[in-house]
């Protein structure tokens, strides 16, 4: 099994706040000699449910090679953050974690970062964006806010009631539409349990009413990227982008996790880089 965390570029690590949130910091590479280094805001990557900073392992080299300094965080009790009682962790706790890291970056860099959120990290980033004065917001196959879900609801989900802790996905399949056996084995190594209370707040699959987001209070530029395999997916992605007045990229024939670790991950990563360079 190829472990992409073994191939990460040189970086520093530190723990943030009372919950010891594990944070990786990758400095953007200097401009080549004779070229002026363009001022770029720091980027903060926020992972989804069951995962951690390891999920961004393929992305980071592309961003630092273009001069972006990347902060890659872990929510409490995820990956190398301090382990806490997962049965007591809530969606609001995760919001507190992101705000804490945003403030730490702001203190260090003197500017507010742009957030790049995936899946659960996407809906968390939407809520943070309401008040944090972000430099930008990128949502990668994000969980939907209540307003967008009411416009284009999921019609075929089978709702279940989670326990206090939701076990990690088994990922029994060998491959997917855009993931090799190696890509899936990499995820199996690190996938972990998730908070049932958090899922009950934002996940329609677990019977949640959804999280309301006031898009009118979000003034930073936004980009929405969706994995698309049906006309419904496309309508949902476009509705999400319209709600946030965002640029939109629907990537047909990709999967949710494949957007980060699959064989076509570079299409999503390059879409983000082009958008930041606009």
């Amino acid at each position: 099994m190829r472990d992409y965390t073994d191939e990460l570029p040189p970086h520093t690590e530190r723990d943030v706040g009372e919950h010891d949130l594990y944070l990786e910091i990758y400095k953007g590479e200097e401009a080549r000699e004779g070229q002026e280094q363009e001022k770029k805001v720091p980027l903060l990557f926020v992972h989804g449910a069951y995962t951690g900073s390891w999920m961004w392992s393929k992305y980071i080299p592309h961003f630092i090679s273009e001069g972006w300094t990347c902060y890659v965080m872990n929510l409490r009790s995820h990956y190398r953050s301090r382990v806490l009682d997962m049965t007591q962790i809530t969606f609001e706790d995760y919001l507190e974690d992101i705000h804490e890291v945003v403030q730490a970056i702001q203190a260090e860099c003197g500017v507010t970062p742009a957030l790049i959120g995936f899946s659960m990290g996407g809906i968390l980033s939407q809520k943070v964006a309401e008040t944090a004065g972000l430099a930008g917001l990128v949502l990668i196959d994000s969980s939907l806010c209540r307003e967008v879900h009411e416009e284009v609801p999921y019609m075929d989900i089978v709702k279940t009631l989670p326990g206090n802790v939701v076990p990690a996905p088994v990922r029994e399949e060998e491959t997917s539409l855009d993931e090799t056996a190696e890509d899936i084995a990499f995820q199996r190594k690190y996938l972990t349990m998730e908070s049932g209370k958090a899922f009950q707040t934002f996940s329609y699959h677990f019977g949640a009413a959804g999280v309301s987001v006031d898009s009118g209070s979000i003034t930073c530029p936004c980009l929405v990227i969706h994995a698309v395999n049906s006309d419904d997916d496309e309508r949902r992605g476009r509705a999400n982008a319209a709600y946030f007045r965002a640029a939109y990229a629907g990537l047909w024939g990709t999967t949710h996790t494949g957007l980060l670790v699959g064989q076509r991950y570079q299409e999503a990563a390059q879409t983000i880089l082009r958008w930041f360079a606009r």
Side-chain angles (χ1 to χ4, degrees):
M1 190 275 291
R2 183 176 176 183
D3 188 337
Y4 295 95
T5 65
D6 293 336
E7 302 171 23
L8 286 168
H11 59 280
T12 58
E13 304 166 354
R14 75 166 188 258
D15 297 327
V16 177
E18 66 173 308
H19 297 108
D20 297 327
L21 306 174
Y22 175 67
L23 181 67
E24 300 170 359
I25 305 165
Y26 300 83
K27 293 295 183 184
E29 294 177 1
E30 296 293 328
R32 293 177 183 170
E33 189 175 350
Q35 293 181 332
E36 186 178 347
Q37 176 75 0
E38 186 183 354
K39 184 64 177 175
K40 291 175 173 165
V41 298
L43 306 180
L44 173 58
F45 292 77
V46 184
H47 62 79
Y50 309 112
T51 63
S53 56
W54 56 268
M55 197 72 174
W56 300 103
S57 296
K58 288 188 176 182
Y59 269 52
I60 298 306
H62 297 279
F63 285 82
I64 63 171
S65 70
E66 295 203 14
W68 297 93
T69 291
C70 300
Y71 290 78
V72 193
M73 68 170 295
N74 290 270
L75 300 168
R76 64 184 69 185
S77 213
H78 285 72
Y79 193 35
R80 294 179 179 170
S81 291
R82 182 155 58 88
V83 175
L84 302 171
D85 181 358
M86 188 64 86
T87 67
Q88 300 303 311
I89 293 175
T90 66
F91 185 84
E92 288 71 25
D93 290 333
Y94 291 155
L95 290 178
E96 181 182 303
D97 292 346
I98 300 172
H99 277 295
E100 190 162 28
V101 174
V102 167
Q103 289 165 8
I105 295 171
Q106 204 168 6
E108 184 172 295
C109 302
V111 294
T112 309
L115 252 61
I116 301 175
F118 169 68
S119 191
M120 179 183 77
I123 185 66
L124 287 164
S125 296
Q126 292 171 38
K127 287 302 290 180
V128 170
E130 287 181 331
T131 57
L134 299 175
L137 176 65
V138 177
L139 305 174
I140 306 176
D141 224 36
S142 171
S143 301
L144 300 178
C145 68
R146 184 186 306 162
E147 290 78 7
V148 174
H149 186 257
E150 286 175 351
E151 182 179 343
V152 193
Y154 295 111
M155 302 301 292
D156 55 352
I157 58 175
V158 179
K159 295 180 181 178
T160 59
L161 186 62
N164 288 334
V165 172
V166 181
V170 177
R171 296 299 307 260
E172 289 181 321
E173 73 279 22
E174 285 301 316
T175 62
S176 76
L177 197 59
D178 59 347
E179 296 165 298
T180 64
E182 199 165 58
D183 296 332
I184 292 176
F186 171 57
Q187 295 170 69
R188 280 197 205 109
K189 177 176 180 178
Y190 290 108
L191 285 169
T192 187
M193 66 182 75
E194 188 50 77
S195 159
K197 288 184 177 179
F199 270 131
Q200 289 178 57
T201 301
F202 76 88
S203 174
Y204 306 103
H205 296 267
F206 289 111
V211 174
S212 178
V213 175
D214 176 13
S215 65
S217 65
I218 299 174
T219 57
C220 64
C222 303
L223 168 66
V224 167
I225 297 175
H226 266 244
V228 177
N229 288 285
S230 68
D231 291 341
D232 272 356
D233 289 343
E234 180 71 2
R235 281 195 292 273
R236 204 166 282 118
R238 290 190 178 279
N240 201 24
Y243 187 67
F244 292 102
R245 304 171 302 284
Y248 174 68
L251 299 182
W252 280 84
T254 60
T255 63
H256 183 62
T257 51
L259 286 180
L260 260 59
V261 298
Q263 295 302 295
R264 294 176 57 190
Y265 82 92
Q266 286 199 46
E267 294 178 39
Q270 292 301 326
T271 297
I272 298 168
L273 285 166
R274 285 195 299 272
W275 181 74
F276 276 127
R278 71 199 184 282

